[in-house]
Amino acid sequence: MTQEVVSTRVSDARGAADDLVHQLKQRPDSYTAVIFMAAIKYDFASLSVAIKEKFPNCEVIGASTAGEIDLNGFQNDSVVLTTMSDSRTRVKGVLVENGSKYPVVNKGDIEQALSSVGISCGDPNSHRSAFAIAFINGVFNAEETILSNFYSIIQNDKFALAGGTAGFTGNEAKTFVSYNGKTTQDGAAFLFVKTSCKFDIRQEDIFNPSGKTLYVTQSDTINRTIRSLNGQSAKSVYARTLGVSETQAEGMTFENPFGRHINGSIHIAALAGFGTDGSCSLFARVVPNSTLELMHIGDPVQKCDETCSGIKSVIPSPKFALLMTCITRTLAFARMNIGGTIIKKYQQTFPTFCGFSCYGEQIGRVHCNQTLVSLVMGD
């Protein structure tokens, strides 16, 4: 397995594609797959077409970002492109359109893409030599719907998936994903990978349980809103549990998100804010009649050490690394002045790596927030 990572700040789509290809060491037709991540300032549709034209024989997926990651650190206003090269690895992508309304429409396309690389739906052992990468649009709250549809097709809950919700910057809420030059703003781009290489997909959570639990008495799963906790206003209960005023609580949501108990693990649901009616908006679904754990931020540098050590224990010689980290983490690391420290630890762990700041992360069939999802491959 070989990975190359290149980046550009050339502003026009075709110029950016030219610059990216010029930096690569091999011929464009020699790569197994191409993945790119681009700042929202780019004309994403034109960029997707321009990059696909450079790699006509490759499977190409892309996503808009809220920031990019490469060997030089956390970036903005750039395009980062990575390649995957391996004779033992087969890949096939698919684009899911109208994902928030009609994800099942693409069932046949997903089945065909899986079959084309030798992944059988319903095979209880399919996860041993295959996984999926998913980039999902971030404006329509469709991550859970798209994941549920995919796992109903693959029929193997152990099948690994590493995903990131496409990001954006600025005031206009718009995200893009693409497959082989075709772009959508409501759906997902999947890349299915069948390989004999070792691979490791994991999630890093920098939060610790506080021991304080909250009961969801009323919630709107579609709009990701909690109306009441413990039978009272969600905002007032959240503030009281923290031991602060409601006004103070508004500025403490990053350090104190909710943890959901799913399949024996805790997964973060970030708070987006509070409504005038005392409701709480989230970036992930929380179902009524469930129990949440109030989480407190831990030591991100220590967590990073644990993640890197864990990866190296499984993949002693990493060859490919893709990182999808929540934008709230990126911003928090900047405030804490530890972004450079985190990148240095990645540099010490991986020969090269790339990724992007996203609006949510997916691991398996779970959509969550304020975490890192990593995909690492070795020989």
Side-chain angles (χ1 to χ4, degrees):
M1 172 61 65
T2 302
Q3 178 183 25
E4 291 185 56
V5 176
V6 294
S7 64
T8 184
R9 293 184 181 278
V10 175
S11 58
D12 70 282
R14 295 202 171 274
D18 288 341
D19 188 34
L20 291 167
V21 172
H22 179 73
Q23 297 177 57
L24 292 172
K25 298 176 182 178
Q26 301 181 44
R27 301 187 319 275
D29 61 356
S30 66
Y31 299 107
T32 305
V34 171
I35 301 170
F36 72 93
M37 296 143 283
I40 202 70
K41 75 169 190 175
Y42 286 88
D43 181 334
F44 193 86
S46 296
L47 180 65
S48 298
V49 170
I51 290 177
K52 176 57 183 176
E53 288 177 351
K54 296 292 184 181
F55 301 94
N57 300 318
C58 292
E59 294 292 281
V60 182
I61 65 168
S64 62
T65 78
E68 306 78 54
I69 302 170
D70 63 16
L71 274 168
N72 296 313
F74 295 97
Q75 309 292 337
N76 289 290
D77 298 328
S78 68
V79 182
V80 172
L81 180 146
T82 187
T83 63
M84 180 188 296
S85 304
D86 189 82
S87 60
R88 302 158 297 173
T89 299
R90 300 167 62 190
V91 302
K92 183 63 177 179
V94 68
L95 188 70
V96 173
E97 298 184 270
N98 298 310
S100 65
K101 296 180 180 179
Y102 314 113
V104 73
V105 170
N106 295 101
K107 179 176 183 289
D109 297 329
I110 293 173
E111 290 174 333
Q112 184 176 2
L114 289 164
S115 177
S116 70
V117 293
I119 303 172
S120 299
C121 296
D123 179 358
N125 296 309
S126 60
H127 61 285
R128 298 185 183 276
S129 60
F131 62 88
I133 299 171
F135 293 157
I136 305 178
N137 288 118
V139 177
F140 294 91
N141 294 350
E143 290 95 337
E144 292 94 347
T145 300
I146 290 171
L147 292 175
S148 294
N149 183 59
F150 170 69
Y151 276 93
S152 72
I153 295 170
I154 193 70
Q155 299 174 52
N156 180 359
D157 282 350
K158 294 181 180 179
F159 192 87
L161 179 147
T165 300
F168 67 92
T169 53
N171 297 323
E172 187 175 359
K174 57 180 181 179
T175 61
F176 302 95
V177 299
S178 71
Y179 165 62
N180 279 353
K182 188 173 183 180
T183 296
T184 184
Q185 293 189 68
D186 179 14
F190 284 94
L191 186 69
F192 303 124
V193 182
K194 174 80 169 179
T195 184
S196 60
C197 295
K198 290 183 178 180
F199 60 89
D200 179 87
I201 293 173
R202 68 179 59 211
Q203 183 181 55
E204 177 186 282
D205 180 354
I206 61 175
F207 299 93
N208 300 316
S210 68
K212 300 175 181 178
T213 57
L214 305 168
Y215 184 74
V216 182
T217 41
Q218 284 185 299
S219 71
D220 180 342
T221 57
I222 300 300
N223 294 304
R224 296 177 175 171
T225 301
I226 298 176
R227 301 193 186 282
S228 63
L229 293 166
N230 300 343
Q232 302 175 50
S233 158
K235 184 177 184 179
S236 64
V237 172
Y238 178 77
R240 190 162 58 251
T241 305
L242 285 174
V244 300
S245 69
E246 292 188 16
T247 300
Q248 290 174 310
E250 293 175 358
M252 299 174 65
T253 55
F254 172 79
E255 292 82 2
N256 302 278
F258 292 132
R260 299 164 296 161
H261 294 270
I262 303 174
N263 299 328
S265 299
I266 295 180
H267 294 276
I268 300 298
L271 284 74
F274 300 100
T276 55
D277 60 352
S279 63
C280 174
S281 297
L282 306 168
F283 287 112
R285 292 180 184 176
V286 169
V287 298
N289 304 315
S290 63
T291 300
L292 301 177
E293 181 92 20
L294 186 65
M295 308 293 286
H296 289 328
I297 191 169
D299 183 344
V301 176
Q302 178 184 343
K303 294 283 188 177
C304 183
D305 278 332
E306 294 172 1
T307 296
C308 292
S309 295
I311 291 171
K312 289 296 288 284
S313 70
V314 178
I315 312 288
S317 181
K319 303 295 184 182
F320 180 95
L322 180 65
L323 310 173
M324 289 154 283
T325 188
C326 187
I327 179 58
T328 57
R329 284 169 45 108
T330 305
L331 295 173
F333 293 170
R335 291 195 303 270
M336 300 165 72
N337 198 30
I338 60 172
T341 301
I342 299 294
I343 292 296
K344 186 175 181 180
K345 292 187 180 296
Y346 296 156
Q347 293 169 341
Q348 294 168 344
T349 305
F350 312 115
T352 190
F353 60 87
C354 67
F356 69 107
S357 297
C358 50
Y359 267 60
E361 306 79 57
Q362 294 81 49
I363 183 158
R365 62 189 308 149
V366 179
H367 167 66
C368 45
N369 315 116
Q370 294 184 204
T371 66
L372 166 76
V373 168
S374 60
L375 160 64
V376 178
M377 301 179 70
D379 289 330

